[in-house]
Amino acid sequence: MKELVLKKRAELEEICQKTHLIPEIDSAVKYVVEATESGSVDPAIVLEQIELQIAQVKEEAFVRKEILEKVEKWLSACDEEYWLEEYNSDENRYNAGRGSYLTLKRAKKACALVKKLPAMVDALTSKTVASEKDKGIEFTYDGTCLVCMLENYSLSRQEKEQERCRQWVYGPLIAFIYFSNTNF
């Protein structure tokens, strides 16, 4: 019976991990094995409680499935955005070498995907907020508020855009001032 309880607990933790939920395993479950061995707790009751939790988590996973798929796409797009930033900062990106065609092809795809990111974030935010209003609870992703994650991403993206604009506007001016003050 002890092995069955441990197996069900592991199953519950695995489902929670796949659905990015924090398992709500109370501290009593951790000490269940000891309590069942001593005979103070009926193992059937403990097993029934764990199976009830598994059913609740599976139901929650089904409800969260659509939003989680969009989150995975968003996170994948964020990875591509990061890769594109690294690619654009690489001085040797124009050197013709092995695989340069494939790298350029990936950069074009990443650029197209990055352009879609603001719309992805807006759609995901609205869907998450609607879900939160329906359920009356905060939607979390690995224990972090998803709406907060999206807002932080949007703010950091706006800051990056402002910095690029400043560099684009002030970059030539700074270069002009620098070269006009140097004596050759």
Side-chain angles (χ1 to χ4, degrees):
M1 195 65 150
K2 172 182 160 183
E3 291 83 18
L4 188 59
V5 169
L6 291 174
K7 182 180 174 185
K8 288 293 182 180
R9 182 174 170 216
E11 180 184 347
L12 176 63
E13 290 174 352
E14 181 183 340
I15 294 169
C16 287
Q17 184 181 16
K18 286 180 181 178
T19 58
H20 301 280
L21 286 169
I22 302 297
E24 296 179 8
I25 300 174
D26 52 3
S27 59
V29 174
K30 294 180 182 177
Y31 304 107
V32 161
V33 175
E34 296 168 6
T36 54
E37 286 177 351
S38 69
S40 61
V41 177
D42 185 18
I45 294 172
V46 173
L47 191 59
E48 183 180 320
Q49 289 176 349
I50 292 175
E51 291 205 4
L52 181 65
Q53 286 180 337
I54 288 173
Q56 289 172 346
V57 168
K58 283 183 178 180
E59 183 180 322
E60 182 70 19
F62 182 73
V63 171
R64 295 167 55 99
K65 183 179 180 182
E66 184 179 355
I67 293 176
L68 287 176
E69 287 173 353
K70 290 182 184 254
V71 170
E72 294 300 323
K73 286 181 183 178
W74 170 63
L75 291 174
S76 174
C78 288
D79 290 342
E80 286 298 302
E81 179 184 36
Y82 176 75
W83 179 85
L84 187 62
E85 288 174 359
E86 292 292 317
Y87 173 78
N88 285 334
S89 66
D90 184 13
E91 296 294 325
N92 296 324
R93 69 178 178 260
Y94 297 116
N95 290 348
R98 272 197 160 169
S100 61
Y101 170 74
L102 295 175
T103 306
L104 182 60
K105 191 174 178 181
R106 179 179 176 191
K108 287 180 181 180
K109 286 182 180 179
C111 187
L113 188 61
V114 167
K115 287 181 182 180
K116 295 177 185 177
L117 265 171
M120 282 174 126
V121 170
D122 290 342
L124 187 55
T125 302
S126 64
K127 193 150 213 65
T128 305
V129 168
S131 172
E132 288 179 348
K133 285 182 181 177
D134 287 346
K135 292 182 183 178
I137 59 171
E138 186 177 74
F139 191 99
T140 59
Y141 184 85
D142 289 336
T144 307
C145 172
L146 181 59
V147 174
C148 296
M149 286 173 58
L150 294 168
E151 288 173 353
N152 288 340
Y153 171 78
S154 295
L155 288 174
S156 68
R157 187 170 169 92
Q158 286 175 355
E159 290 172 359
K160 286 180 188 177
E161 279 298 318
Q162 289 173 351
E163 183 62 30
R164 279 190 213 121
C165 288
R166 268 186 249 136
Q167 287 178 354
W168 187 76
V169 170
Y170 294 118
L173 180 63
I174 292 171
F176 174 75
I177 292 170
Y178 174 76
F179 286 118
S180 65
N181 289 335
T182 56
N183 295 327
F184 290 104

